[in-house]
Amino acid sequence: MEAFTTLTAAAVPLDAPNVDTDRIIPARFLHKPRGPEFGRLLFHDLRYDEDGRERADFVLNQPAFRAARILVAADNFGCGSSREHAVWSLAAYGIRAVIAPSFGDIFFNNCFKVGVLPVVLPASTVAGLRRQLHAMPGASLTVDLEAQVVVGPDDARIPFTADPFRRESLLRGQDEIALTLEREPAIAAFERRRAAEAPWLAR
Amino acid sequence: MTAGPRTLFEKIWSPHVVAEGAGAMSLLYIDRLLMHDGAVHTFDRLRRAGRAVRRPEAIAATADHYVPTSGGAGAIADPAIRGMVTEMDRHTRELGIPYFGPGDARQGIVHVMGPEQGFTLPGITLVCGDSHTATHGAFGCLAFGIGASELEHVLATSCLWQRKPRAMRIRVDGARPPGVSAKDVILSIIARISAAGGTGHVIEYAGSTIAAMSMDERMTVCNMSIEAGARAGLVAPDETTFAFLAGRAFAPAGPRWEEARAFWRTLPSDPGAVFDAEVALDAATLAPTVTWGTSPQEALPITGRVPDPADAPDPARRAAVERMLAYMGLAANTPLTAITVDRVFVGSCTNSRLEDLRAAAAVVRGRRAVVPAWAVPGSGLVKRAAEAEGLDRVFREAGFEWREPGCSMCVGMNGDTGRPGERVASTSNRNFEGRQGKGVRTHLMSPAMAAAAAVTGRLTDVRRLAAEGV
Ligand code: SF4
């Protein structure tokens, strides 16, 4: 996984609440294995019309926002299915941080596995950021995971908290499976205990 | 260990914690894992990383998302998609994992197959690379959906790092009025607490209405927990649960069954157990419910009208309602019963079990579908049982297509999609934009309500069908 430390980049506002993973990446693309082409598929049906032409009214198609690497969204972003493809698409497009008042739980977890940082901030703060981004298209934000602070276009420093465990893995770009495998003795001991306590589970 | 009153959730969570990590993360042991064809690439990724599947004996697999619901797996034209199904067969065979693929009567939607095989058991942790894994919580197990990387982690380590969710209890009490199904109960709950209302929580569904439900009904309720934002739903195991599980292939047998049942009886939340959030609904106030928008929270009693953006409490909500009305092709204030539909889908892991098919068949019996309508059983065993009762005949005589088991039009990954602009009365769980195909408009409802829509061609109050002379 690619590490995330700090990122200063153009940010794109997405005002709709409840943006579900079907909208981030439609189901008909899910049979593809993870790869760079998911960047093109991000928000596919919002970004392109029936003939595959870009929809000018979609925010990511507007010149000032095309190179955005930070997404500022609304409530319950990434709700819906467990498809990690949603995060793959964001990452492949170049978006490495998403700021929202709340996220779908599974999407939130998936972000950390792919190296995309989800940042939870109060709804009014996030709405304020989106307003600034609309007013100053192409403006940059800084998301600093080390210092746990977002710096707005107006230089306001907005603190956030990330779970220490996830923050650490993301800062280092750690392979979580390798870390867990180091705990094999504890897992094996747990299993022996559980087999004794719940013999009915044996198959 | 404190002896204070504990919730069902706590009684499952605590004994599964292998280790505590930094912050609020726990290494949680995963007893059982279900897999479906959509997860097949994870085997490849694991292999490329040089890692082994740690406990193949903890896994069962099926094919559901990509299987055609007519013509068998051989009928998949796209080789990449056909490969999803054939590769599942190969990987599971190599690893000795039980696999119920096309042609096997036990094949079906993963959330129908698991309980049907007794693979789902009270008191365990169970995961699957699918957000509707919450379905299995109907048995009083902690079951939740995970992404591809988490799946890889479970395959390699039998564990997952998780932040402990909070516990929410939703009590539904009282007798359900006629025509009000489990689907109406859960749609009403989501409308009440919102699509994000359960975020960060595990929901325990409790109260007399839930206790009186069959397992099929409890599964319908738990299935849509994710639509309320909750990763997992739970119902306390009871005699209904045990009666369902007894004798199933993967369930404990003989003395092991007695041991298990004795343990399962200790699982229900203790009196006085404290929840982080509580919600209460009175079943008597519920009505057959349909969604009008593109989030499952946009559900209303069928007697209602399409909302007016002008009534929205704030500009953001107004914009959201306007966007939904535009996508759905609806005008504000239209009576819901005036909305015509182009097709009907009875199926999905929410409503494709035998009782669901019975409920839909009871409505269409002796009537005629006036729009294209499909009934897609959740598994080969459901299909067989339905046919033994003659339900296939009822559906066919009413003009329905009676199809092979799979996810089908719930998500359309197998090509079972509607056309742009088509309006579907659907028993599935998501009405998101494009969910049933690009531009398709989905109205969620119960099997009986979908059946009523099929025979009238519009959203219809199933309670008034006879009175309307249909
Ligand atoms: S039926 Fe629909 S919701 Fe259920 S597992 Fe299949 S695609 Fe997912």
Side-chain angles (χ1 to χ4, degrees), chain B residues 18-282:
Chain B
V18 176
E20 301 287 356
M25 300 294 277
S26 306
L27 188 63
L28 193 70
Y29 190 76
I30 303 302
D31 293 314
R32 288 189 173 180
L33 171 62
L34 281 164
M35 293 188 72
H36 58 80
D37 47 5
V40 72
H41 295 312
T42 308
F43 282 125
D44 296 315
R45 292 214 300 180
L46 197 67
R47 194 165 291 186
R48 274 202 302 279
R51 288 179 176 136
V53 175
R54 192 171 176 283
R55 241 162 45 92
E57 70 273 21
I59 308 173
T62 189
D64 52 8
H65 286 70
Y66 289 99
V67 295
T69 53
S70 61
I76 309 177
D78 183 332
I81 291 180
R82 193 166 55 240
M84 303 287 288
V85 178
T86 53
E87 281 295 279
M88 200 66 195
D89 189 15
R90 181 176 69 83
H91 282 293
T92 50
R93 196 142 15 97
E94 284 174 13
L95 290 161
I97 295 169
Y99 171 62
F100 309 132
D104 189 315
R106 296 164 294 184
Q107 178 264 333
I109 305 174
V110 67
H111 309 309
V112 177
M113 176 278 276
E116 205 166 58
Q117 293 304 315
F119 189 81
T120 307
L121 297 174
I124 67 168
T125 49
L126 181 151
V127 299
C128 173
D130 186 279
S131 58
H132 291 98
T133 307
T135 312
H136 306 263
F139 291 81
C141 66
L142 183 61
F144 53 91
I146 55 176
S149 296
E150 287 189 312
L151 176 57
E152 205 179 326
H153 193 282
V154 177
L155 285 169
T157 70
S158 308
C159 294
L160 269 180
W161 287 101
Q162 293 291 301
R163 172 194 272 276
K164 187 178 179 182
R166 292 184 292 273
M168 173 187 284
R169 178 164 59 188
I170 299 183
R171 294 191 59 101
V172 190
D173 283 291
R176 279 183 277 147
V180 174
S181 71
K183 182 67 161 283
D184 301 304
V185 171
I186 187 63
L187 284 173
S188 306
I189 287 172
I190 299 165
R192 166 87 167 268
I193 71 170
S194 93
T199 304
H201 291 81
V202 165
I203 299 175
E204 178 176 343
Y205 301 95
S208 63
T209 315
I210 304 291
M213 284 182 178
S214 68
M215 290 316 297
D216 282 10
E217 291 175 320
R218 293 177 191 182
M219 283 190 262
T220 299
V221 170
C222 286
N223 174 273
M224 290 190 73
S225 301
I226 186 76
E227 266 62 64
R231 266 181 112 181
L234 286 170
V235 174
D238 60 8
E239 297 309 315
T240 306
T241 321
F242 309 147
F244 180 100
L245 287 172
R248 305 244 168 202
F250 287 78
R256 294 274 189 257
W257 170 258
E258 297 305 328
E259 280 167 25
R261 203 167 44 165
F263 169 65
W264 294 340
R265 288 195 166 121
T266 69
L267 286 171
S269 294
D270 299 324
V274 178
F275 291 80
D276 300 292
E278 298 250 19
V279 176
L281 266 79
D282 176 358

Side-chain angles (χ1 to χ4, degrees), chain B residues 348-359:
Chain B
S348 91
C349 58
T350 317
N351 284 124
S352 65
R353 298 178 180 81
L354 188 57
E355 289 178 12
D356 301 314
L357 299 175
R358 283 181 187 150

Side-chain angles (χ1 to χ4, degrees), chain A residues 40 43-50 52-55:
Chain A
R40 193 179 50 79
F43 294 124
H44 187 279
D45 294 350
L46 299 173
R47 249 165 99 196
Y48 309 103
D49 67 14
E50 285 69 41
R53 280 187 308 254
E54 285 190 1
R55 295 179 198 269

